[in-house]
Amino acid sequence: MYHHSAGTAQPVAGSASLVTERPADSLEYQRCGWCGTAMYHRLLCPVCQGSDLRTERSEGIGTVRHSTTVHRNTPAARNVSLVELAEGFVVRGRVMGPLIGIHSGDRVRLSTAEDPVRGEPVFQLLDESCRAWT
């Protein structure tokens, strides 16, 4: 989930920038300072319930753990996937590609930080291997 602030400070011409913008292709997550668990946008650590959470940047490489096609509330079918990133946390997002060609175990890379409509990360397949149609 992404939170956008309406009261974001804007830099004044001729002054140093007050806001540091993150790159469009980065994904930030949290790591517990107490037990080291990685998680995506939580208030407390799900393992030790600690509140000492550090924000870190993900490399954006992961594996599809589950993928489904959703036909509801949309003009066309869309993909919804759970992606486990190399840092050890799972995020819900969309994987670009043919809906029938996205499977559990496929390697993906972060394409953009968020879908402009749904606000979820968007991934693309790293290697689109030829799969046998059965």
Side-chain angles (χ1 to χ4, degrees):
M1 178 183 312
Y2 293 91
H3 299 284
H4 299 284
S5 173
T8 304
Q10 298 294 325
V12 179
S15 69
S17 175
L18 299 174
V19 180
T20 58
E21 298 207 11
R22 62 187 169 99
D25 61 347
S26 72
L27 185 64
E28 293 180 345
Y29 68 100
Q30 298 160 306
R31 186 169 302 276
C32 179
W34 181 254
C35 69
T37 302
M39 69 213 79
Y40 186 69
H41 292 268
R42 301 290 294 261
L43 294 174
L44 297 174
C45 174
V47 174
C48 71
Q49 302 301 313
S51 62
D52 179 22
L53 305 177
R54 298 183 314 262
T55 301
E56 297 181 8
R57 185 162 306 188
S58 171
E59 294 294 323
I61 304 294
T63 305
V64 175
R65 287 294 162 223
H66 179 75
S67 183
T68 189
T69 303
V70 177
H71 299 274
R72 184 182 63 210
N73 297 332
T74 181
R78 63 184 170 90
N79 165 273
V80 177
S81 298
L82 292 177
V83 177
E84 182 177 353
L85 283 105
E87 292 80 10
F89 66 97
V90 177
V91 64
R92 178 182 150 176
R94 182 169 59 92
V95 177
M96 294 188 305
L99 298 177
I100 198 161
I102 301 167
H103 304 282
S104 296
D106 287 346
R107 302 272 300 148
V108 294
R109 173 175 49 100
L110 184 68
S111 175
T112 59
E114 67 181 69
D115 182 348
V117 175
R118 303 269 178 211
E120 297 175 337
V122 178
F123 298 89
Q124 65 184 10
L125 293 170
L126 277 179
D127 47 321
E128 295 186 34
S129 59
C130 297
R131 296 183 184 270
W133 295 91
T134 57

